[in-house]
Amino acid sequence: MAALGFVFITLPCLAIIGFTCFAACRAQKHEAFKVLAYACLAFGLACALVPVGVVVWISSL
C-alpha cells in the first residue's frame, strides 16, 4: 500500500512542485535559470506521467 501511496499521491505532488519551479525559473532573466527551468519541467513531466503509466500497465494485465 505504501508503494501505491507513493505513486498516486507523492508523485503528483512532486509534479506540481516541478511545474511551479519551471514557471518560476522561466520568469527569471538569467540564462542559467532557463536551463534549470527545463530540468524542472522534465522532472515534473516524469512525475506526472508515472501514475498514468502504472494505470495503463495494470489495465493491460
Side-chain angles (χ1 to χ4, degrees), residues 2 8 10 13 17-18 20 24 26 36 39 41-43 55 57 60:
F8 293 110
T10 305
C13 291
I17 292 169
T20 305
R26 185 81 175 136
L36 183 61
L41 178 63
F43 174 74
V55 169
W57 176 67
S60 69

Side-chain angles (χ1 to χ4, degrees), residues 15-55:
I16 292 170
I17 292 169
F19 293 142
T20 305
C21 176
F22 166 72
C25 290
R26 185 81 175 136
Q28 302 299 317
K29 299 292 183 197
H30 197 275
E31 188 65 32
F33 284 107
K34 304 288 184 191
V35 175
L36 183 61
Y38 289 111
C40 291
L41 178 63
F43 174 74
L45 283 174
C47 289
L49 292 177
V50 166
V52 174
V54 169
V55 169

